[in-house]
Amino acid sequence: MTIHTVPEAAVRSAEARVAGYDWQALAEEMSGYGCAVMEKLLTPEECREIAGLYPDESHFRSHVHMARHGFGKGEYRYFRYPLPELIGGLRTALYPRLAAVANDWNERMGIAQRYPHEHAAFLKQCHEQGQTRPTPLLLQYGAGDFNCLHQDLYGDLAFPLQVAILLSEPGEDFTGGEFVLTEQRPRMQSRAEVVPLRQGDAVAFAVHNRPVHGSKGSYRVNLRHGVSRLRSGLRHTVGIIFHDAK
């Protein structure tokens, strides 16, 4: 069993970047609405660098055309290990901040699972359950493409939060293509959250469930996410998922 470590310099750089956000406010936003935006997590140059990896198959373990599987229309590629340093560093640095939110959520929902502070320790748990394939991915949408509402679970062990970073600039590189989060509440109609993003912005959001405070305590709501139809242009997004896949 191999845990692919991220170079220390990349982790330190990502940790300094991540520490610049108000994590108490972000945690409250995630708990209140299921998502929160980190503005300008990446620079325009970094966005172009990551999007530019897409044509080079050497960086990826698989290539998925959404229409073939009923996932929508568009395509994406899963990175192989070792991840690009920028993405691997962010995955390592973001995890402890989100693990604190995830553990709070599980306590409120009466779920016994607790997540270790270090990402490497959590990946070790994934690998012990046979989930060894990396899940960070790079998505590409053209005009008319969209992503159906879904959940990125990939196995029995799933981390409750994930991050998507928009690499393209709305209004310049593409139009349409909004990030959408829906929430299915017990005995109520579903609620939709449309999240406005600019190039380099990241959204952290619930993968599956989150707790909502009710008159009799907290209860679970079910969430799904997707992308609305792209009207024109080309849109790239990088997704950082913290659990590995079977």
Side-chain angles (χ1 to χ4, degrees):
M1 180 177 63
T2 301
I3 303 296
H4 294 269
T5 57
V6 182
E8 187 176 343
V11 174
R12 286 200 305 268
S13 175
E15 285 174 342
R17 186 186 310 226
V18 167
Y21 293 92
D22 183 343
W23 280 95
Q24 181 176 346
L26 289 172
E28 291 173 357
E29 191 84 1
M30 283 182 266
S31 293
Y33 300 99
C35 62
V37 174
M38 292 168 275
E39 295 182 351
K40 299 181 180 178
L41 181 63
L42 297 182
T43 66
E45 293 76 16
E46 290 169 333
C47 290
R48 288 191 288 269
E49 177 186 343
I50 296 174
L53 300 176
Y54 196 85
D56 186 350
E57 294 184 2
S58 66
H59 296 287
F60 304 98
R61 66 172 176 86
S62 66
H63 185 184
V64 177
H65 291 273
M66 297 186 199
R68 294 178 185 172
H69 305 277
F71 297 162
K73 188 181 177 187
E75 57 184 75
Y76 54 87
R77 289 181 164 179
Y78 287 106
F79 286 99
R80 66 171 71 249
Y81 280 132
L83 300 174
E85 288 188 8
L86 181 57
I87 296 171
L90 286 172
R91 195 184 192 209
T92 301
L94 287 165
Y95 171 85
R97 308 281 185 167
L98 297 175
V101 178
N103 285 332
D104 174 63
W105 284 8
N106 277 9
E107 181 177 355
R108 290 167 58 190
M109 292 187 292
I111 298 173
Q113 174 77 43
R114 295 294 182 270
Y115 302 94
H117 181 70
E118 299 295 334
H119 190 230
F122 177 64
L123 287 181
K124 183 174 183 291
Q125 294 178 0
C126 290
H127 291 198
E128 288 171 348
Q129 295 199 25
Q131 297 177 209
T132 59
R133 296 190 297 163
T135 48
L137 69 165
L138 187 55
L139 302 100
Q140 178 173 279
Y141 301 86
D145 291 350
F146 62 96
N147 194 351
C148 295
L149 295 170
H150 65 284
Q151 298 169 331
D152 295 312
L153 297 175
Y154 299 116
D156 294 331
L157 186 57
F159 190 70
L161 290 144
Q162 67 190 71
V163 173
I165 310 171
L166 183 61
L167 305 178
S168 307
E169 181 61 35
E172 295 182 13
D173 299 321
F174 70 95
T175 61
E178 294 86 0
F179 178 85
V180 180
L181 191 70
T182 65
E183 189 173 271
Q184 184 180 359
R185 300 171 293 174
R187 298 175 298 280
M188 299 175 70
Q189 293 184 340
S190 296
R191 183 182 71 89
E193 185 87 8
V194 178
V195 182
L197 299 171
R198 308 299 299 183
Q199 184 181 45
D201 290 352
V203 55
F205 58 96
V207 173
H208 184 204
N209 298 123
R210 76 172 182 93
V212 173
H213 183 72
S215 59
K216 298 181 180 179
S218 293
Y219 62 94
R220 303 182 199 182
V221 295
N222 191 48
L223 295 101
R224 298 179 183 274
H225 65 278
V227 173
S228 69
R229 176 169 58 93
L230 209 72
R231 305 285 176 160
S232 65
L234 192 64
R235 179 189 190 273
H236 286 98
T237 309
V238 64
I240 300 179
I241 297 165
F242 296 92
H243 48 274
D244 278 351
K246 285 189 175 180

